Amino acid sequence: MSQRLITNNVLVAFELLHSLKNCKRGTQGYAAIKLDMSKAFDRVEWPYLAQVILKMGFGSVVVNLILRSLQSVTYSFLLNGQVLGELVPTRGLQQGGPLSPYLFLICAEGLSRLLQTEEENGSLHGLKVSRSAPSMSHLFFADNSVLFCRANHQSARSIKHVLDIYGRASGQAVNSDKIWKFLSSWKEQLFSAGGKEVLLKAVVQAVPTYAMSCFRLPVTSSGLGATPSLTWRSIVWGKELLVQGLRWRVGTGAQINCKADSWLPRHTIFTPFCFTVSDTSLQVADLIDHHRQWDLTAIFANFGKADIDRILSIPLSIYPTDDILIWNGTTSGNYTVKSGYQFAVSMADS
């Protein structure tokens, strides 16, 4: 969890919506449904919350402490400058309380499990961006949620069944009037295809979503494809920038080709300017003698003056070490966003 960013969740939602927009094949249609819970924090039933916490494996001592914290809240009324009355709540989470967002996520875990159960028994089918991708049926962030499903009566009945059970148990209620009024005011039926896309992004895509698992990228370097999303375009551009900014740190030199590989220190170009021999299989290891020093004879025989100076500036360790790829933009060899930006600017200026 500590290695995940909230921006990852926006990317997942963006990719799913991009997949929906470009889904033009097959007989199955898919839909995205944005749910807005009415007075979500105020409606949480404490007994339901306690049971969910127990089911998650927490002990009764922890549950009792949480319930005592929730039950300690009281409300008064300010009338004509005087504090009057006292109201003791029997449900709900305190707005602004440090534990409230976490407790509501625990509350929403019940909805997530119900949706997962519907998927397991085949009543609900989530959205896949590709055949090998995992199925996504919902994304959560606090009291906002986005559901993804097949656009058919079975999915609608399944979602309604889940929301009914969840509502009776937790006290939550979907605010159906809010989105309907918003959509009606836009007069969606009069929109062009571009206008509908703007509407979709304004209503659904702009909603922040709860953190989901990050997908593992493929081993080979993937291309843009036929209809790349803005997210994927940015990832591919970043990958190409990273490859351009990598160079080899010389160890034994056995893995580095003198002519083709990036290994000479410079701001942007790490391959030799002038390679004077026709033997393209020459390795950097052939330029290092048995004393772990640069072989000046071999270097002067194969490179021009500018490359010789760069080669001799590379320090060699006393003991042989493996050749490794490093990021040229930092002294540590580790990539940083700042150094990546500076490298991108230098590439644009060169």
Side-chain angles (χ1 to χ4, degrees):
M1 291 294 291
S2 61
Q3 301 299 317
R4 287 156 62 174
L5 302 174
I6 195 64
T7 51
N8 295 338
N9 315 325
V10 179
L11 295 180
V12 174
F14 190 96
E15 289 303 300
L16 290 170
L17 293 172
H18 178 77
S19 176
L20 274 177
K21 186 181 71 173
N22 291 280
C23 185
K24 299 178 180 178
R25 296 181 179 179
T27 58
Q28 294 288 349
Y30 286 86
I33 306 171
K34 188 264 184 186
L35 299 181
D36 180 75
M37 297 298 179
S38 177
K39 303 293 183 181
F41 277 63
D42 297 335
R43 288 177 173 268
V44 174
E45 296 286 353
W46 294 343
Y48 163 80
L49 180 62
Q51 289 301 314
V52 174
I53 296 174
L54 288 172
K55 286 291 185 180
M56 294 179 68
F58 291 91
S60 58
V61 175
V62 175
V63 175
N64 289 333
L65 284 174
I66 293 175
L67 290 178
R68 286 170 57 188
S69 174
L70 295 176
Q71 293 166 356
S72 65
V73 177
T74 58
Y75 298 97
S76 299
F77 303 94
L78 185 62
L79 182 63
N80 296 329
Q82 293 184 342
V83 178
L84 302 174
E86 183 178 82
L87 180 64
V88 180
T90 58
R91 64 175 183 176
L93 303 175
Q94 183 182 8
Q95 296 281 357
L99 276 179
S100 296
Y102 303 98
L103 294 178
F104 190 86
L105 291 179
I106 293 175
C107 176
E109 183 67 18
L111 176 58
S112 178
R113 296 299 177 90
L114 287 171
L115 291 170
Q116 290 173 9
T117 301
E118 291 295 301
E119 279 196 276
E120 291 170 0
N121 63 30
S123 300
L124 181 65
H125 298 275
L127 174 63
K128 290 185 177 183
V129 295
S130 67
R131 291 182 179 179
S132 59
S135 174
M136 283 286 184
S137 63
H138 56 281
L139 295 172
F140 288 165
F141 180 79
D143 56 340
N144 290 306
S145 56
V146 183
L147 307 185
F148 300 93
C149 64
R150 286 182 181 174
N152 54 34
H153 291 292
Q154 178 179 328
S155 295
R157 286 193 296 267
S158 177
I159 291 175
K160 186 177 185 305
H161 175 65
V162 166
L163 292 176
D164 288 341
I165 296 176
Y166 178 64
R168 290 197 300 269
S170 66
Q172 296 296 293
V174 177
N175 187 355
S176 57
D177 297 335
K178 182 177 179 181
I179 297 177
W180 176 251
K181 289 180 179 178
F182 183 78
L183 290 175
S184 299
S185 66
W186 279 66
K187 297 183 179 178
E188 185 267 345
Q189 67 272 16
L190 302 179
F191 279 4
S192 64
K196 291 179 181 178
E197 180 183 350
V198 173
L199 174 63
L200 180 66
K201 290 180 178 179
V203 176
V204 183
Q205 185 178 302
V207 179
T209 49
Y210 180 59
M212 301 297 291
S213 300
C214 298
F215 302 134
R216 185 179 180 181
L217 293 177
V219 176
T220 56
S221 300
S222 301
L224 278 176
T227 56
S229 66
L230 179 61
T231 302
W232 185 243
R233 286 179 185 272
S234 302
I235 291 175
V236 172
W237 178 86
K239 180 205 68 175
E240 293 173 351
L241 180 70
L242 180 65
V243 170
Q244 289 176 317
L246 291 175
R247 70 172 175 87
W248 286 95
R249 175 178 287 169
V250 178
T252 61
Q255 299 182 61
I256 308 172
N257 182 278
C258 286
K259 181 179 180 180
D261 291 335
S262 300
W263 63 285
L264 296 178
R266 197 169 178 261
H267 292 299
T268 54
I269 301 174
F270 314 123
T271 52
F273 289 127
C274 180
F275 193 69
T276 59
V277 296
S278 58
D279 184 9
T280 58
S281 64
L282 189 71
Q283 303 295 110
V284 173
D286 299 324
L287 308 178
I288 303 174
D289 62 26
H290 62 281
H291 296 297
R292 295 291 300 160
Q293 300 291 327
W294 289 113
D295 187 335
L296 297 181
T297 302
I299 292 174
F300 277 88
N302 293 283
F303 297 92
K305 179 65 169 62
D307 293 327
I308 292 173
D309 293 339
R310 289 201 289 167
I311 294 172
L312 296 180
S313 70
I314 301 174
L316 295 175
S317 61
I318 299 176
Y319 302 100
T321 57
D322 293 333
D323 303 316
I324 60 172
L325 282 170
I326 63 170
W327 174 253
N328 185 72
T330 59
T331 55
S332 65
N334 297 324
Y335 176 84
T336 63
V337 175
K338 180 180 179 180
S339 64
Y341 173 78
Q342 293 173 341
F343 181 71
V345 171
S346 65
M347 291 293 292
D349 293 338
S350 61

